[in-house]
Amino acid sequence: MPNRTKTDPTARRDAQLLEIAERHLFLETLETRNNDALDFHDTSVWAIRSALEAAFEAGRRAGPAADSDTVHF
């Protein structure tokens, strides 16, 4: 049987969020850099919608058992 290590769910989630931010919002990082020019961006509504749709799909694919501490709005 292959040795499989569990992936930290927070790290996996953060990696997915960064991928979405890079692909849809053209951001290099989601880390705070304490510089207004680097931390605030003008973003089109269609890019925001695209990013939200990607995040929604990622959550849907992960399924309800992926995170039992999820806050529902």
Side-chain angles (χ1 to χ4, degrees), residues 12-38:
R12 187 171 55 241
R13 181 204 62 205
D14 289 348
Q16 286 180 319
L17 289 175
L18 180 57
E19 182 181 341
I20 291 168
E22 290 172 340
R23 183 176 296 162
H24 298 272
L25 304 173
F26 309 105
L27 301 177
E28 296 175 15
T29 182
L30 291 174
E31 298 298 320
T32 301
R33 295 183 275 180
N34 298 313
N35 179 312
D36 286 354
L38 299 174

Side-chain angles (χ1 to χ4, degrees), residues 29-49:
T29 182
L30 291 174
E31 298 298 320
T32 301
R33 295 183 275 180
N34 298 313
N35 179 312
D36 286 354
L38 299 174
D39 290 337
F40 293 90
H41 304 274
D42 288 329
T43 306
S44 67
V45 294
W46 53 87
I48 295 169
R49 180 183 178 101

